[in-house]
Amino acid sequence: MKRLIAFGVTFLLLALVGAPPAPGQPRGKNVEKLMRAKLKHSQVLLEGISIGDFKKISASAEELLQLTKTEEWLMHKTPKYQMHSNEFQRAAETLIRKAKEKNIDGTTLAFFDMTMSCVRCHQHVREIRDAKWPNAPSEALRFVSTDFKLDSRSP
Ligand code: HEC
């Protein structure tokens, strides 16, 4: 179990390393707020899983699920983006269910699924940006750092 949690922490860190701020990029206030809330609730979620606090787990998973219903959530309209978004929602729903059942292994696995969807969706967003602005300076348009060593598909 401890190993599972350690993996969870690693995955979350990967997701976060995968999404550092993109300086100079114009972004709406609401999008900014959404991204901050996403980060905050996933950190609380990890805290809940680490200490076995099921109330914390379901409350933060519920918050994350609600975020997916905001207008800002579907920033891109590609089928892949939608697919990652669906995976994220399914993982949040599973988290809530498993937390109700007080199933720590189940919540941890659902947390992995959710974190994978963070990473995959961010990868897809990078692809979209590369396709839109192939010759643009990388720092300005890529919110995922190029020294993301554990991901061999990163440019
Ligand atoms: C369905 C797609 C999708 C999923 C799933 C997703 N994100 Fe994101 N995320 C985005 C997009 C799009 C942006 C970039 C917004 C922009 O253009 O600046 C982003 C940006 C971010 C940022 C801000 C980066 C910055 O530039 O400031 C953070 C932090 C973040 N995501 C965390 C997460 C975490 C943590 C998860 C999982 C719990 C997650 N995201 C899941 C689409 C997604």
Side-chain angles (χ1 to χ4, degrees):
M1 195 55 233
K2 270 192 191 139
R3 264 215 333 232
L4 269 184
I5 290 176
F7 271 123
V9 175
T10 311
F11 271 119
L12 187 75
L13 289 178
L14 270 183
L16 304 186
V17 166
Q25 210 173 308
R27 218 161 38 177
K29 253 214 160 92
N30 290 342
V31 171
E32 202 72 61
K33 239 170 93 182
L34 168 70
M35 299 309 160
R36 263 204 310 271
K38 193 166 54 165
L39 185 57
K40 193 188 100 201
H41 295 308
S42 40
Q43 284 167 337
V44 176
L45 183 53
L46 175 61
E47 190 188 327
I49 291 174
S50 309
I51 61 176
D53 181 337
F54 292 105
K55 267 201 195 125
K56 208 167 232 174
I57 296 169
S58 54
S60 44
E62 186 61 54
E63 295 280 1
L64 285 164
L65 190 58
Q66 289 313 314
L67 291 182
T68 68
K69 295 173 182 159
T70 58
E71 204 182 309
E72 291 76 28
W73 179 264
L74 274 186
M75 278 188 69
H76 300 282
K77 309 279 182 265
T78 64
K80 251 192 179 174
Y81 194 90
Q82 183 73 57
M83 184 191 80
H84 295 307
S85 171
N86 291 345
E87 277 170 7
F88 183 91
Q89 281 176 331
R90 261 202 308 276
E93 284 160 2
T94 308
L95 268 161
I96 295 165
R97 207 176 54 245
K98 298 291 177 189
K100 264 198 196 116
E101 296 165 2
K102 302 206 185 311
N103 178 341
I104 194 68
D105 286 5
T107 50
T108 309
L109 288 173
F111 180 72
F112 288 164
D113 286 343
M114 173 177 279
T115 311
M116 284 310 289
S117 82
C118 309
V119 176
R120 297 277 177 250
C121 190
H122 291 166
Q123 280 177 330
H124 178 55
V125 172
R126 250 167 24 230
E127 283 165 14
I128 294 174
R129 290 188 181 174
D130 285 349
K132 270 193 188 158
W133 300 288
N135 301 317
S138 55
E139 326 73 72
L141 293 166
R142 226 170 255 149
F143 69 94
V144 175
S145 65
T146 45
D147 57 356
F148 192 32
K149 294 190 185 66
L150 290 170
D151 180 1
S152 55
R153 271 175 297 179
S154 275

